[in-house]
Amino acid sequence: MILPPQHPLSAGRTADSRLVRAYRGERADAVPVWFMRQAGRSLPEYRELRVGTRMLDACLDPAMAAEITLQPVRRHRVDAGIFFSDIVVPLKLVGVDVEIQAGRGPVFGRAFADAAAVADLTAIDPASLDAAAAPISDAVARTVAELDGIAPAGGADAAASATPLIGFAGAPFTLAAYLAEGGPSKDHLAARTLMHADPGAWRDLMHWTAELTGRFLRAQVVAGASAAQLFDSWAGALSLEDYERHVAPASARALSFVHDLAYETGATDASGAAVTRSVPVVHFGVGTGELLGAMRGVGADAVGVDYRVPLDVAAERVGAGVPLQGNLDPALLAAPWPVLEQAVLDVLRRGRSAPGHVFNLGHGVPPQTDPAVLTRVVELVHEASA
C-alpha cells in the first residue's frame, strides 16, 4: 500500500529527517536522539495532566494522548516523538478485561494459560481492532499535525524537517507473557510452560497476539507515524532456540502489517516508475543480547540495544549494514554530569560502528529523572556528533 500524499513521509516532511535517515543507515548532520518513556512520570506537566485520569483512559483520549506525546518534544527538542500508549491498549480495544494498576502494571480479569482459556481469547477476531482503533488514529493525526510545526534542535537537516512520530506496539511474546500469567511476572514461567506443554495452544495464542498487535502498529503508521517500533519487553527470558522456534515467526507476522506500507520519494527509476521506500521498522527487547541477530531477522530495519551490550559488540551480532538504536544505561541519568557526559560520548563513539545510529537509552526513562538532565543530554548528543 502506498501511503497517501498527505502522510508526512509522502509529503516529504519527515522522509529526510535525522531519525528516518538513521533508520535507513545514513548519517545526517548530527546523531538523532529520543528516549523510551520520554513522555511520562519524569515530567511535571505530565503528572499535572494525568491527575484523576487512569492510564488506559489517558491512552484512549485522543486529545490527552496527543498532548502527552508532544510534551517531551517541546521540552527536550528530541528528534522524534514516541506515541503515548501502552502495549495492552489493543487488548482493551477488542474487549479483553484488563486494567493497569499503579505500582503493578497490566492486570487481567483471568489468566490465559491453558488450551481452553486460549480458545476463549482467540475467539475474538483480531480484525475487530480495525473498527475499534479510531481513538488511536485520531490521536496520531492530532499529534502529527502539531509535530509538523516543531523542528528538532540545531543543524540544517533538522531545520528542513518536521519532527517525526514513531508508532509503538508490544511484541507478540510480551503480550502473551502477560496474558498467560494474568498480569506481571518476574520469570514469565506461565508463558514458557504453555509454550512447551501445549505447543498447539501456544501457536494459537502467538498467532492471535501477532495479528492484533500488527494491526495496532499499522493503524498508527497509516494515520501518520513515520516509523514503527516493536517492543519485546520480556523476550530476554528466552533461549535463542526457543525464540527462533516459538516466537520469531509471530514477531515476523506482526511486522508484516507494516512492511507493505511505502511512500513515493518523488524520484523515478530508469523506466520512469516512481521510486518508493518502505516505512522503517525498529525492534527492541530487554535482556536480548543473545537474540539480537534473530530479532533483526524477523524483518527489522534497525535494532534497539539495551544497556547490557556495547553498541560495537551489538553491531557484530546483528551483522553488517544494520542501523542501531541505544543504549545509555538509564541509571547514569542520576550520575554526576562528568560521569554522564563521558558515558554519552562513549555510546556515540561505539555507535559509529553501525551505518546509522539513533541515540537512546538502554531502557525507559526512570520516573525520578530530572527533566533538565534529559534536555542537557539531547544538547550534548547533537553538539558532540555534529
Side-chain angles (χ1 to χ4, degrees), residues 170-193:
F173 175 74
T174 288
L175 290 182
Y178 279 115
L179 287 162
E181 193 70 35
S185 168
K186 292 182 178 180
D187 56 14
H188 319 294
L189 184 62
R192 293 188 290 121
T193 297

Side-chain angles (χ1 to χ4, degrees), residues 259-282:
H259 282 156
D260 73 311
L261 300 177
Y263 60 98
E264 295 183 352
T265 65
T268 56
D269 61 19
S271 67
V275 175
T276 63
R277 285 195 176 112
S278 59
V279 175
V281 172
V282 58

Side-chain angles (χ1 to χ4, degrees), residues 242-327:
D242 281 349
Y243 179 84
E244 291 181 329
R245 179 181 299 180
H246 300 291
V247 172
S251 292
R253 174 57 182 159
L255 291 181
S256 73
F257 282 86
V258 177
H259 282 156
D260 73 311
L261 300 177
Y263 60 98
E264 295 183 352
T265 65
T268 56
D269 61 19
S271 67
V275 175
T276 63
R277 285 195 176 112
S278 59
V279 175
V281 172
V282 58
H283 194 11
F284 173 78
V286 180
T288 51
E290 300 302 319
L291 310 180
L292 291 173
M295 291 177 67
R296 194 266 170 156
V298 303
D301 299 299
V303 175
V305 185
D306 79 358
Y307 57 88
R308 297 168 179 87
V309 180
L311 287 181
D312 49 350
V313 176
E316 296 176 357
R317 294 184 181 183
V318 300
V322 181
L324 297 178
Q325 179 174 278
N327 71 338

Side-chain angles (χ1 to χ4, degrees), residues 15 65 234 294 305 366 383:
W234 307 133
V305 185
E383 292 168 4

Side-chain angles (χ1 to χ4, degrees), residues 49-74:
L49 183 64
R50 274 285 314 280
V51 170
T53 304
R54 294 183 300 177
M55 175 64 176
L56 290 179
D57 291 339
C59 293
L60 294 174
D61 180 325
M64 184 174 288
E67 173 59 22
I68 293 171
T69 303
L70 291 162
Q71 286 175 346
V73 180
R74 298 191 195 105

